[in-house]
């Protein structure tokens, strides 16, 4: 059917057919998760009594913005958390993580990264390496110490080391998704074991999980296995491709309160912050998020399978349990990598006529190439593919608002890269 609209060569169509058949049982598992999470979502909306008046935003200080406060409540409910801040005022996932870290940590405290080095953009926030003396007000400049338990050679948490280091730490940081590292996302069992290890060694430790890309990939969130706080971005899974911006912090009420006073001003907290015209999209996006995440998961599984059939190494393996929406593919050459990104761009709903090229980006050592034909700038719940241009030329593919279109996008990328 795709060939009715796009010119795909017969050999590739044959592989596509095979991949679709192999993926069938995997898709069934995804549908079951989607259905569970969607009904859980509906239940949260009804239980919280969302009304049409909540969809209208406020201006100015945003006092008595009942739509904003109701959204916090719905978000907390669906995440199985006591409390939440689900807001357009977070400008990215990194910003939400920053607010959480500065909300929780004080001078002399220690942050323990229990799953190895955190996501790249947090280095400047923590004050690692060169960023320590920048004068931008990192945690290090505020006298907050940093400690790390690197992952083992197998890419697993080092439980012994975590137990050793936890007693000296105030906050334990866990990253669920792989980021740009070469491991799979951690499942909830593993996260639970890290949390139990840290809390057994130090009952007072606060555990915060970077939940970016993990939301709604399973039927539960890290809050259900003992995480005190979870943090993420609304231009990834929980915004459903509809929220135009924003992020969230959810978890224990007392901790969420601390973060609220850091998000706005100490002493002001969550009472302020107008929502302008964002609320309807935030509610709608959240409501759609379980379905959209499922579409992205199907795209990930399908792509992994297709590349496997072509003899390229893709992770996670298509039959593997998914805990984030990222697939990495070793394309083996710069030419194939660039062509893959260009083909995916050509199969995007926005800016399909643009040809992405590698370029130097601040904060990266190698040139980077990026396919991102998205409705929301930088959104990675929409089909996107990016990569640092270096051996083994690994492409990171993520997102897909709906599988039918994303499958076509992947096929166009693969054709340009390997069947041209
Ligand atoms: C995306 C992401 C972040 C935050 O990134 P932003 O681009 O600032 O939204 C943090 N951690 C992980 C693991 C991520 O995937």
């Amino acid at each position: 059917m795709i060939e009715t609209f796009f010119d795909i060569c017969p050999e590739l169509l044959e592989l596509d057919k095979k991949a679709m058949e192999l993926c069938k049982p995997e898709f069934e598992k995804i549908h079951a998760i989607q259905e569970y999470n969607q009904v859980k979502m509906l239940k949260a909306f009804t239980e919280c009594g969302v009304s049409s008046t909540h969809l209208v935003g406020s201006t100015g200080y945003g006092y008595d913005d009942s739509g904003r406060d109701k959204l916090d409540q719905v978000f907390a409910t669906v995440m199985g958390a006591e409390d939440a801040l689900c807001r357009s005022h977070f400008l990215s996932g990194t910003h939400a993580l920053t607010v959480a870290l500065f909300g929780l940590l004080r001078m002399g405290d220690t942050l323990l990264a229990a799953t190895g080095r955190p996501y790249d953009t947090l280095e400047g926030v923590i004050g690692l390496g060169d960023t320590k003396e920048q004068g931008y007000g990192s945690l290090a400049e505020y006298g907050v110490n940093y400690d790390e338990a690197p992952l083992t050679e197998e890419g697993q948490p080092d439980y012994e080391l975590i137990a050793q280091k936890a007693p000296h730490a105030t906050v334990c940081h866990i990253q669920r998704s792989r980021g740009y590292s070469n491991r799979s996302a951690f499942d909830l069992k593993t996260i639970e074991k890290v949390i139990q290890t840290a809390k057994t060694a130090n009952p007072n430790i606060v555990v915060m999980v970077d939940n970016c890309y993990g939301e709604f990939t399973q039927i539960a969130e890290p809050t259900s296995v003992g995480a005190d706080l979870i943090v993420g971005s609304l231009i990834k899974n929980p915004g459903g491709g509809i929220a135009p911006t924003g992020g969230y912090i959810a978890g224990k009420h007392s901790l969420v309160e601390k973060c609220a006073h850091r998000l706005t001003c100490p002493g002001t907290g969550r009472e302020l912050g107008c929502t302008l015209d964002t609320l309807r999209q935030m509610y709608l996006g959240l409501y759609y998020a379980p379905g959209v995440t499922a579409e992205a998961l199907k795209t990930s599984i399908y792509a992994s399978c297709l590349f496997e059939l072509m003899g390229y190494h893709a992770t996670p393996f298509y039959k593997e349990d998914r805990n984030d929406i990222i697939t990495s593919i070793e394309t083996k050459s710069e030419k194939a990598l660039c062509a893959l990104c260009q083909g995916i761009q050509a199969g995007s709903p926005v800016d399909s006529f643009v040809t992405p090229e590698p370029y130097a980006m601040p904060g990266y050592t190698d040139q980077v190439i990026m396919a991102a034909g998205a409705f929301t700038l930088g959104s990675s719940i929409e089909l996107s593919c990016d990569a640092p241009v270096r051996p083994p030329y690994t492409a990171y593919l993520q997102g897909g608002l709906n599988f039918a279109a994303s499958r076509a996008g992947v096929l166009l990328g693969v054709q340009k890269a390997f069947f041209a």
Side-chain angles (χ1 to χ4, degrees):
M1 188 269 302
I2 288 168
E3 65 274 21
T4 312
F5 301 100
F6 292 100
D7 191 19
I8 308 280
C9 70
E11 302 99 288
L12 183 51
L13 284 174
E14 204 47 47
L15 287 171
D16 164 70
K17 203 170 137 196
K18 213 178 263 174
M20 287 301 285
E21 236 169 77
L22 287 169
C23 289
K24 232 183 205 164
E26 309 312 315
F27 288 175
E28 289 304 313
K29 291 179 206 161
I30 298 302
H31 289 154
I33 293 171
Q34 172 185 358
E35 197 169 271
Y36 183 96
N37 284 334
Q38 189 61 64
V39 180
K40 177 166 74 171
M41 184 68 72
L42 174 63
K43 174 75 177 171
F45 271 68
T46 59
E47 199 177 295
C48 296
V50 175
S51 88
S52 55
T53 57
H54 291 134
L55 309 183
V56 182
S58 61
T59 58
Y61 292 129
Y63 280 128
D64 302 317
D65 187 326
S66 62
R68 177 195 64 205
D69 298 343
K70 183 60 72 180
L71 182 63
D72 286 347
Q73 191 193 346
V74 174
F75 197 85
T77 305
V78 81
M79 287 291 163
E82 283 176 17
D83 198 359
L85 299 163
C86 174
R87 302 194 171 206
S88 58
H89 309 116
F90 293 114
L91 55 91
S92 66
T94 304
H95 184 216
L97 287 158
T98 301
V99 168
L101 290 169
F102 276 90
L104 298 177
L105 290 154
R106 299 291 180 268
M107 191 172 141
D109 286 351
T110 297
L111 168 68
L112 171 62
T115 50
R117 187 55 60 98
Y119 194 70
D120 306 42
T121 55
L122 288 180
E123 297 201 359
V125 177
I126 297 166
L128 295 170
D130 297 345
T131 68
K132 196 167 181 175
E133 310 290 338
Q134 266 174 343
Y136 294 159
S138 65
L139 285 169
E141 277 187 58
Y142 278 92
V144 174
N145 308 306
Y146 173 77
D147 200 1
E148 186 176 295
L151 297 175
T152 64
E153 259 172 49
E154 294 78 40
Q156 289 303 309
D158 189 335
Y159 298 105
E160 233 170 88
L161 197 58
I162 293 167
Q164 226 176 71
K165 293 190 167 196
H168 315 290
T170 325
V171 171
C172 171
H173 165 280
I174 296 171
Q175 186 179 306
R176 184 178 184 182
S177 167
R178 57 189 293 167
Y180 289 109
S181 73
N182 212 356
R183 62 162 170 97
S184 284
F186 292 125
D187 61 18
L188 292 175
K189 264 211 179 97
T190 305
I191 290 174
E192 181 171 33
K193 198 170 163 196
V194 174
I195 294 173
Q196 281 177 354
T197 304
K199 292 206 170 188
T200 304
N202 177 1
N204 295 322
I205 205 163
V206 169
V207 178
M208 160 189 158
V209 175
D210 176 348
N211 203 29
C212 281
Y213 283 134
E215 302 90 353
F216 307 120
T217 57
Q218 296 287 327
I219 59 167
E221 300 296 331
T223 34
S224 72
V225 294
D228 298 305
L229 217 57
I230 56 174
V231 184
S233 161
L234 293 185
I235 62 167
K236 295 181 181 174
N237 311 13
I242 297 172
T245 184
Y248 73 86
I249 295 174
K252 294 241 167 75
H253 172 67
S254 60
L255 304 177
V256 171
E257 274 297 306
K258 281 185 170 198
C259 298
H261 286 274
R262 179 70 207 200
L263 169 62
T264 63
C265 315
T268 299
R270 68 196 308 162
E271 311 294 322
L272 260 69
C274 73
T275 48
L276 302 174
D277 293 328
T278 58
L279 281 175
R280 185 178 170 278
Q281 286 165 289
M282 306 268 282
Y283 277 103
L284 192 60
L286 180 62
Y287 188 68
Y288 265 84
V292 171
T293 303
E295 298 293 294
L297 285 169
K298 285 169 71 177
T299 306
S300 166
I301 290 166
Y302 166 79
S304 178
C305 186
L306 188 68
F307 277 95
E308 205 66 42
L309 288 175
M310 294 192 307
Y312 287 85
H313 185 60
T315 47
F317 185 57
Y318 76 95
K319 284 188 177 182
E320 212 175 303
D321 184 38
R322 288 293 196 285
N323 291 276
D324 68 12
I325 59 167
I326 306 174
T327 316
S328 70
I329 303 130
E330 284 179 23
T331 64
K332 295 182 191 168
S333 79
E334 179 173 345
K335 198 165 158 247
L337 175 64
C338 294
L340 177 67
C341 288
Q342 288 163 0
I344 286 175
Q345 181 80 34
S348 299
V350 180
D351 291 335
S352 59
F353 48 85
V354 168
T355 306
E357 299 282 355
Y359 66 109
M361 231 172 82
Y364 292 84
T365 40
D366 301 280
Q367 286 199 319
V368 176
I369 185 159
M370 226 172 248
F375 292 96
T376 299
L377 280 181
S379 168
S380 44
I381 184 64
E382 300 183 50
L383 184 66
S384 48
C385 186
D386 51 68
V389 183
R390 62 165 177 250
Y393 303 101
T394 303
Y396 294 87
L397 180 83
Q398 60 265 312
L401 292 179
N402 69 75
F403 175 63
S406 304
R407 174 181 164 201
V410 169
L411 283 172
L412 286 169
V414 166
Q415 171 149 285
K416 191 163 170 61
F418 306 105
F419 292 84

